Amino acid sequence: MEERLMSKKKPAYPVNKRLDDYLSTYNRKIEIPIFYEDLLRFSGSVVVYDKNDEDTLWIRVYYSEYDRKEIDDSLKKVYSILHSDGSDNINQYLNVDAVDFCTFGNSKPFRIKIRNILNDNFTYFYIKKTDASRIYGLELEHMLSPYNLNFLVYKDTLIEEHIAGIPGDEFIKNMLPTCTESEKAQLAKEFVKFNERCMIRLLGDMRSYNYVIVPVHDFDHVVYRIRAIDFDQQCFEGKLKVYRPQFFKENLKMVELVQKKLLSDSVDQYKLEERSIIAKRILSSSKRIKRIRSVIKTDKISTKENVALLREHIYELTLDMDFKKCRTMGQILDLALNFVRRNYEDVSMKQIIEQNIKI
């Protein structure tokens, strides 16, 4: 199914001057002491297996004694820049427990495990090659989703904080069957909202291993949230289905859950709720969102063929002739966000008028 939906390989797009200026303005661009290419100098590796002795598709890499100290010190510095004030004061309490490398997928990230030696608490962060579309994906997630994201960009290197949660594929396989009926209904609702959110902001390829499910304990029950963790496919593919998680076979169990647990009226209501929430976020962060939308509208982050295909698909969905005029993916995204905002404002104004008439 994915072979028909997805392109074989998505290229990495460079950061242009307008995006670079935006990153500087909002403190995303900060000098760091190590680059992605530096981490490729490993001298050996071993396969990383999970608790069931299955290959995780990550390898744990090792460096020569000559390189190790410099790399460790630099990674501790990056951690301090990402999570603290950037000073070296905390370095003595930190240890680099592991540097893992993933050869699967487009981004080929390094995963860094940092441990506090005083209490054994640990966290991860990721080092990847810079890609403009991934940066747009991270920034749009920060502004349009319920979750804030911390990331840094410096030249050809991108640093991302770890997003905690249970990988979707693992949850669906091992935990979903044991969920209560009410938990399954709540998960179905969240999947509908997640599906809608991805489509509206054109975040593609949300197969089950590209998002996590986060359990939140609330009084006497557990509430589940779904978070994207891979932003590589922001505004690239031409097929609208790629931006709707429901069309990937890995999410079939979630789709069946929606069909079993939710009436069509409930699905429509949850879609409307998500569109309204996104519209409110657009309005509340107007200056910053306007600036990133202005930047992405002039950027080249896809092919002409993909742009032509997607604008046709979205026109068929919305019947808005303005989509026919789009020449870039950024213009399509900008119009899609305007479409959501206008609909929300029209409904809100209608409600105000009706209330005034009643009064």
Side-chain angles (χ1 to χ4, degrees), residues 16-27 136 139-140 143 282 285-299 330 333-334 337:
N16 65 23
K17 187 178 186 307
R18 292 191 68 200
L19 179 55
D20 189 68
D21 291 343
Y22 172 91
L23 295 169
S24 296
T25 300
Y26 292 99
N27 297 316
Y136 288 124
E139 192 67 7
L140 289 167
M143 287 185 279
I282 293 171
S285 60
S286 57
K287 185 176 180 181
R288 184 166 180 169
I289 192 79
K290 281 180 182 176
R291 182 158 182 182
I292 194 66
R293 287 165 64 180
S294 173
V295 174
I296 197 173
K297 280 164 64 175
T298 60
D299 206 347
L333 173 67
D334 184 63
L337 296 179

Side-chain angles (χ1 to χ4, degrees), residues 35-80:
F35 295 100
Y36 178 89
E37 298 293 334
D38 296 329
L39 294 177
L40 291 174
R41 302 198 313 257
F42 54 86
S43 56
S45 66
V46 295
V47 175
V48 178
Y49 295 96
D50 64 16
K51 61 184 179 182
N52 298 317
D53 289 328
E54 294 182 3
D55 189 347
T56 63
L57 303 178
W58 290 83
I59 59 173
R60 185 147 298 162
V61 301
Y62 300 96
Y63 299 89
S64 66
E65 282 191 37
Y66 176 79
D67 288 329
R68 183 72 204 197
K69 185 178 187 314
E70 179 185 354
I71 287 174
D72 276 10
D73 289 344
S74 296
L75 292 175
K76 292 175 186 178
K77 179 73 172 178
V78 170
Y79 172 87
S80 179

Side-chain angles (χ1 to χ4, degrees), residues 176 184 187-188 253-261:
L176 182 57
K184 288 178 180 178
L187 277 163
K253 293 291 184 184
M254 299 298 283
V255 174
E256 290 174 345
L257 204 62
V258 172
Q259 294 171 338
K260 181 179 178 182
K261 290 294 181 182

Side-chain angles (χ1 to χ4, degrees), residues 33 69-82 84-96 114-118:
K69 185 178 187 314
E70 179 185 354
I71 287 174
D72 276 10
D73 289 344
S74 296
L75 292 175
K76 292 175 186 178
K77 179 73 172 178
V78 170
Y79 172 87
S80 179
I81 294 170
L82 188 65
S84 187
D85 61 358
S87 70
D88 297 330
N89 297 336
I90 63 173
N91 284 13
Q92 59 184 313
Y93 307 119
L94 302 178
N95 188 69
V96 181
I114 299 284
R115 178 172 55 89
N116 186 312
I117 61 176
L118 296 179

Side-chain angles (χ1 to χ4, degrees), residues 183-192 257-258 261-262:
E183 287 173 343
K184 288 178 180 178
Q186 199 264 329
L187 277 163
K189 168 188 172 182
E190 283 302 308
F191 187 77
V192 169
L257 204 62
V258 172
K261 290 294 181 182
L262 302 180

Side-chain angles (χ1 to χ4, degrees), residues 101-122:
F101 180 57
C102 183
T103 58
F104 176 73
N106 279 326
S107 59
K108 294 183 171 54
F110 284 94
R111 181 179 62 196
I112 316 300
K113 181 180 180 182
I114 299 284
R115 178 172 55 89
N116 186 312
I117 61 176
L118 296 179
N119 51 37
D120 278 342
N121 283 332
F122 63 88

Side-chain angles (χ1 to χ4, degrees), residues 12 15 19 32 41 44 69 91 104 106 123 135 144 151 192 215 229 236-237 258 274 288 351:
V15 174
L19 179 55
I32 54 175
R41 302 198 313 257
K69 185 178 187 314
N91 284 13
F104 176 73
N106 279 326
T123 190
I135 292 170
L144 297 181
F151 69 93
V192 169
I229 59 172
F236 175 73
E237 293 287 349
V258 172
E274 192 61 30
R288 184 166 180 169
Q351 290 174 341

